Amino acid sequence: MSLSERDSQLKGQKNSFGQEKLPAGQHVTLKFPVLTYGSTPMVDTTEWKFKLDGLVESPVEFDWQTFMAMPQTSLTADFHCVTAWSMFDKVWTGVHIRDLLSLVKIKSEAKAVMAHCYGGYTANMLLEVLNDDDVLLCHSWEGQPLTAEHGGPCRLFVPKRYAWKSAKWINRLEFIAKDRPGFWEQNGYSMTADPWKEERYW
Ligand SMILES: Nc1nc2c(c(=O)[nH]1)N[C@H]1C(S)=C(S)[C@@H](COP(=O)(O)O)O[C@H]1N2
Ligand SMILES: [Mo]
């Protein structure tokens, strides 16, 4: 079956949230493409640290051992890149965002969040987009540790948004009062990035 036949076969199919399985303007990939701006940071788990700060009562920082000792969640989900590929039904594993957020008391003024990464990349989203049932801080994909090019040792996974919000090599979540543009958002990409509304640019 050709890829375009595959795309048309998906027409009318729904994902587990009742959305079109293949959002408008997307096509299926059977690969796991690498999309990185700039070079791949090499981050050793012995040096890795993660911070939750900004509008929280008390900031928290933890190391790799602590991260891996947190409750672990696996889920099967799709991944949609704004360059038009969609990858379906892969298993992502890590710490569920709600288990992560339970480590801090987020102040009521916090409405948005900025993901910060090793290498300097940033991505923004509303707190309600981050705080969703299918959002993970991931260390594994299809049962294997994430490779460095895919964001290993740790990346964010936000399947309901275009993939640039799924920040690779993430090391900090900063809670902020007002949504502000991250790296791609400063370069013309959408603040909200909903694939089912084709929010690609702004
Ligand atoms: N730190 C960082 N995270 C990033 C990117 C990046 O360049 N740097 N690219 C984004 C984009 S545009 C996409 S499509 C996905 C791609 O993830 P993958 O390379 O694992 O497929 O990562 C996102 N996260
Ligand atoms: Mo992307």
Side-chain angles (χ1 to χ4, degrees):
M1 190 181 0
S2 75
L3 282 180
S4 61
E5 283 168 338
R6 220 187 165 87
D7 290 351
S8 34
Q9 215 180 38
L10 281 158
K11 289 253 155 63
Q13 280 190 41
K14 296 277 157 51
N15 68 17
S16 53
F17 301 97
Q19 299 157 312
E20 291 294 323
K21 184 82 177 162
L22 187 66
Q26 296 292 111
H27 60 76
V28 184
T29 180
L30 301 179
K31 305 196 195 86
F32 190 4
V34 173
L35 258 283
T36 301
Y37 182 85
S39 56
T40 296
M42 292 296 162
V43 184
D44 198 297
T45 54
T46 58
E47 284 151 30
W48 184 89
K49 287 266 180 352
F50 194 98
K51 214 188 296 178
L52 296 163
D53 69 358
L55 295 171
V56 296
E57 296 293 345
S58 312
V60 166
E61 191 180 45
F62 53 86
D63 63 11
W64 187 258
Q65 217 181 339
T66 308
F67 173 55
M68 294 304 280
M70 292 176 192
Q72 300 288 313
T73 300
S74 287
L75 55 85
T76 302
D78 305 333
F79 198 42
H80 308 288
C81 172
V82 71
T83 63
W85 54 264
S86 291
M87 179 177 73
F88 289 129
D89 303 318
K90 299 300 183 207
V91 180
W92 299 78
T93 304
V95 171
H96 195 280
I97 197 67
R98 302 242 161 81
D99 291 319
L100 188 75
L101 296 186
S102 72
L103 300 175
V104 285
K105 193 169 182 318
I106 300 169
K107 294 183 178 173
S108 59
E109 308 94 271
K111 296 288 180 263
V113 64
M114 186 67 80
H116 297 263
C117 306
Y118 288 101
Y121 184 91
T122 51
N124 62 292
M125 66 205 79
L126 291 179
L127 184 53
E128 68 206 46
V129 169
L130 179 78
N131 191 4
D132 203 350
D133 296 338
D134 53 359
V135 174
L136 300 180
L137 194 57
C138 281
H139 53 74
S140 295
W141 181 83
E142 292 282 283
Q144 297 296 321
L146 282 167
T147 58
E149 58 183 4
H150 287 301
C154 177
R155 77 177 300 164
L156 189 62
F157 181 57
V158 187
K160 289 204 197 78
R161 291 295 179 268
Y162 284 122
W164 84 79
K165 302 287 186 183
S166 291
K168 302 193 278 191
W169 316 290
I170 185 172
N171 63 8
R172 177 181 171 209
L173 282 171
E174 180 197 6
F175 298 88
I176 55 183
K178 194 175 174 307
D179 202 13
R180 67 168 199 263
F183 174 72
W184 280 120
E185 296 81 5
Q186 288 169 39
N187 287 281
Y189 285 84
S190 167
M191 293 289 275
T192 46
D194 182 337
W196 293 276
K197 297 181 181 158
E198 277 204 83
E199 293 170 342
R200 297 174 193 269
Y201 314 103
W202 68 309

